[in-house]
Amino acid sequence: MDKIKTQEVWFVTGTQHLYGPETLKQVAADSSKIASALDKSPKISQKVVFKPILTTPDSITELCTEANNSKNCIGIITWMHTFSPAKMWIRGLSILNKPFLHFHTQLNRDIPWETIDMNFMNLNQSAHGDREFGFIGTRMRLNRKVVVGHYQDTEAIDRIAVWVRAASAWNDALNMKIARFGDNMRDVAVTEGNKVSAQMKMGYSVYGYGVGDLVKMVNEVTPAAIKKLLAEYGAEYKLTKAVAASDTLKEAARIELGMEGFLKAGNFKAFTTTFEDLHGLKQLPGLAVQRLMAKGYGFGAEGDWKTAALVRSMKVMAAGLKGGTSFMEDYTYHLDPKGMRVLGAHMLEVCPSIALGKPTVEVHQLGIGGKEDPARLVFKTATGDAINVSVIDLGNRFRMIVNEVEVVKCPDMPNLPVASVLWKPQPDLKVGAAAWILAGGAHHTGFSTSIDAEYLEDFAGMMGVEYVLIDEKCDLTEFKKELRWNEISYHIWL
Ligand code: MN
């Protein structure tokens, strides 16, 4: 996972020459103060860099060109301290290819009732300056986030912080390679999709490999490396002596080392496996996948590269935050009218970043794939708010579906040999699942207890991907209308 604060967000202030040099000096000083306050905020995960104020179409175009060409710049924040005639912005904004956030703010929080005069009014006029700028963004149909509030308002800073993390994920996605061991699970529809469209829209590139390429690296792992990794398992997890000494666990360690070697050598950020294509591997990779996810790799089972990419992006957004992020699958229901629940899990591959307490390494039979019994981490998840996210290919576009859920306490399940999560979907299971199914959401998801729906909304906006939210306010009749209207909207705008 990339280190925090290696990237930059540029703070860009628009104005014009009309006000004279003295006022412009003040504009620059005020703007620098706001940029520096954002930069110092522990909530904002990257640097905020103050840029000289912009007064002409040429300087605006130059700034946008510079942002496009800068490797470190992942997006710009714009603010119109005074009035900045927005025709000046057309050329620059038309070429800007980084995400932008429009911060509609003011240096002063309160109106100084006793001293306010026309000079004050002329200096502090973002209330109308930002409206002129907002118009051109809308007129040009530009995707952007608009955040309103005083620059020290914690709620406004939180919303900017979310956007900065989404911009990091977008930057990461543009440089993302996904390794795909084997193809899609035979006959499965939702995990398929157009990889050319995906790369054009969502940035990442999917590289297919025969599982033999992976097997070769797994077979080259040395006994010394396996011994070292087994010691690591012993330190990090609970396990019985029998499991610790088993050939199964040694084999799991061999698979993990081979897989990690493969991913590192190819500079991959995410990967997929499929239980239908394991020739030469003795087990379905379980423990290996779980631990690689915990290290920051995205993962999708059964060849699901869209979910693998999504899990990686969600992990980038969540870097350093509390909670965790995992590949997930809606598995089975508890339909008791007193509290309907979804039990989420997978055959093996759930990320221990969402574990409550120390996971246990266990070896059990797997009735699918026809391989030896695989090792896996078993655990439960802490209660609290979470999200499930799916990206599907609708043929003419991608759609992202987010369902807010509440992780609830799970009764003991002594015979269930996999990691699991029990949740209540918003607004309830009946409406939430109906909306999900109408929207076409997959059984596979990216699940996170670290980030909320706003991160995904910002991220989808940056990619230009359709976004629908199923939250506590979801009403099925309205939701169906939204899906129907989006069909028209995306026919016009694509
Ligand atoms: Mn699955």
Side-chain angles (χ1 to χ4, degrees):
M1 194 69 46
D2 297 330
K3 281 197 194 102
I4 303 277
K5 297 243 180 196
T6 53
Q7 298 161 333
E8 297 172 1
V9 169
W10 291 0
F11 193 86
V12 174
T13 310
T15 181
Q16 61 176 323
H17 282 298
L18 182 75
Y19 306 102
E22 278 311 303
T23 305
L24 289 185
K25 240 166 121 181
Q26 194 57 49
V27 167
D30 294 352
S31 165
S32 159
K33 197 171 170 185
I34 293 178
S36 154
L38 293 178
D39 185 52
K40 286 194 189 107
S41 166
K43 290 179 175 175
I44 294 182
S45 56
Q46 306 296 347
K47 292 176 215 160
V48 178
V49 178
F50 167 74
K51 289 283 160 183
I53 58 169
L54 302 174
T55 53
T56 63
D58 284 348
S59 62
I60 291 167
T61 305
E62 205 177 305
L63 183 281
C64 293
T65 309
E66 228 182 280
N68 287 349
N69 293 337
S70 163
K71 266 197 169 176
N72 294 332
C73 174
I74 57 166
I76 68 171
I77 298 177
T78 56
W79 175 49
M80 307 302 123
H81 189 331
T82 54
F83 200 83
S84 182
K87 284 186 190 171
M88 300 200 305
W89 286 84
I90 293 174
R91 191 149 52 99
L93 289 177
S94 69
I95 57 164
L96 181 69
N97 65 16
K98 301 272 162 106
F100 85 93
L101 178 147
H102 181 187
F103 190 20
H104 185 42
T105 191
Q106 212 167 258
L107 186 78
N108 57 300
R109 195 195 68 178
D110 302 341
I111 293 177
W113 307 108
E114 302 295 323
T115 56
I116 188 167
D117 56 13
M118 272 327 279
N119 285 338
F120 181 93
M121 295 276 273
N122 284 333
L123 177 63
N124 301 289
Q125 51 175 270
S126 59
H128 63 279
D130 271 330
R131 281 176 159 74
E132 166 74 357
F133 180 77
F135 165 74
I136 207 64
T138 297
R139 175 67 178 80
M140 293 173 74
R141 273 75 172 174
L142 298 175
N143 259 316
R144 76 275 196 202
K145 182 172 191 171
V146 179
V147 174
V148 181
H150 186 241
Y151 78 101
Q152 290 167 324
D153 176 344
T154 52
E155 205 180 87
I157 294 169
D158 284 343
R159 295 196 65 215
I160 294 172
V162 166
W163 177 85
V164 171
R165 284 174 174 275
S168 281
W170 175 228
N171 182 64
D172 181 79
L174 289 167
N175 302 296
M176 192 197 300
K177 281 167 68 185
I178 301 168
R180 194 158 180 251
F181 301 117
D183 204 308
N184 192 67
M185 182 178 164
R186 288 185 277 279
D187 279 337
V188 174
V190 77
T191 48
E192 286 282 12
N194 187 319
K195 300 190 206 73
V196 175
S197 303
Q199 189 167 351
M200 287 166 66
K201 203 74 191 164
M202 301 188 281
Y204 56 77
S205 176
V206 184
Y207 288 60
Y209 293 93
V211 75
D213 295 331
L214 172 62
V215 170
K216 186 173 174 289
M217 291 199 73
V218 169
N219 289 342
E220 284 167 3
V221 171
T222 64
I226 292 174
K227 199 175 159 198
K228 202 174 148 218
L229 188 54
L230 288 173
E232 206 177 310
Y233 293 167
E236 276 186 50
Y237 313 118
K238 292 187 273 187
L239 69 177
T240 62
K241 276 187 184 157
V243 168
S246 66
D247 285 343
T248 305
L249 197 62
K250 280 188 197 125
E251 198 52 39
R254 179 193 302 284
I255 292 172
E256 178 180 333
L257 289 162
M259 214 169 214
E260 187 167 18
F262 190 102
L263 297 174
K264 276 188 178 159
N267 199 22
F268 293 106
K269 294 174 176 175
F271 65 104
T272 71
T273 58
T274 169
F275 65 85
E276 286 178 338
D277 191 351
L278 295 174
H279 191 76
L281 288 180
K282 289 188 180 158
Q283 310 169 8
L284 173 68
L287 183 58
V289 170
Q290 292 180 293
R291 285 174 47 84
L292 288 168
M293 262 196 277
K295 287 183 179 178
Y297 288 98
F299 173 76
E302 291 99 48
D304 188 350
W305 47 271
K306 292 195 298 299
T307 305
L310 175 67
V311 169
R312 162 69 187 187
S313 295
M314 290 170 74
K315 281 180 176 286
V316 172
M317 288 187 249
L321 298 177
K322 268 189 266 167
T325 299
S326 178
F327 172 68
M328 187 57 64
E329 179 166 300
D330 293 75
Y331 226 110
T332 195
Y333 288 142
H334 182 66
L335 293 176
D336 179 352
K338 279 183 275 178
M340 297 191 186
R341 308 283 185 247
V342 181
L343 185 64
H346 203 257
M347 286 186 296
L348 306 169
E349 311 92 334
V350 180
C351 178
S353 66
I354 63 169
L356 174 67
K358 213 177 195 187
T360 311
V361 184
E362 296 181 22
V363 175
H364 299 279
Q365 195 215 339
L366 184 70
I368 208 162
K371 289 281 167 176
E372 290 178 9
D373 301 346
R376 80 289 305 272
L377 294 170
V378 181
F379 53 83
K380 287 204 181 127
T381 305
T383 57
D385 291 338
I387 47 169
N388 267 320
V389 189
S390 172
V391 172
I392 57 163
D393 185 341
L394 282 170
N396 66 337
R397 68 182 187 279
F398 295 96
R399 168 183 285 161
M400 181 185 286
I401 303 133
V402 178
N403 188 193
E404 293 179 347
V405 305
E406 184 193 344
V407 179
V408 295
K409 201 168 177 309
C410 188
D412 279 340
M413 301 176 290
N415 293 315
L416 190 73
V418 291
S420 62
V421 189
L422 188 70
W423 67 76
K424 169 189 135 28
Q426 299 294 357
D428 56 52
L429 193 146
K430 283 180 173 173
V431 175
W436 187 273
I437 284 169
L438 285 166
H443 53 290
H444 284 170
T445 57
F447 167 89
S448 183
T449 57
S450 298
I451 56 174
D452 63 20
E454 189 179 351
Y455 290 80
L456 277 303
E457 185 178 349
D458 288 358
F459 185 55
M462 290 170 193
M463 297 191 293
V465 163
E466 181 188 356
Y467 167 86
V468 291
L469 173 66
I470 304 164
D471 62 5
E472 79 286 349
K473 296 191 290 276
C474 181
D475 173 274
L476 273 182
T477 307
E478 292 304 314
F479 190 73
K480 278 193 270 190
K481 283 183 202 161
E482 181 183 348
L483 297 179
R484 205 158 64 229
W485 293 336
N486 282 0
E487 289 290 353
I488 302 163
S489 158
Y490 280 85
H491 274 289
I492 296 168
W493 297 117
L494 277 186

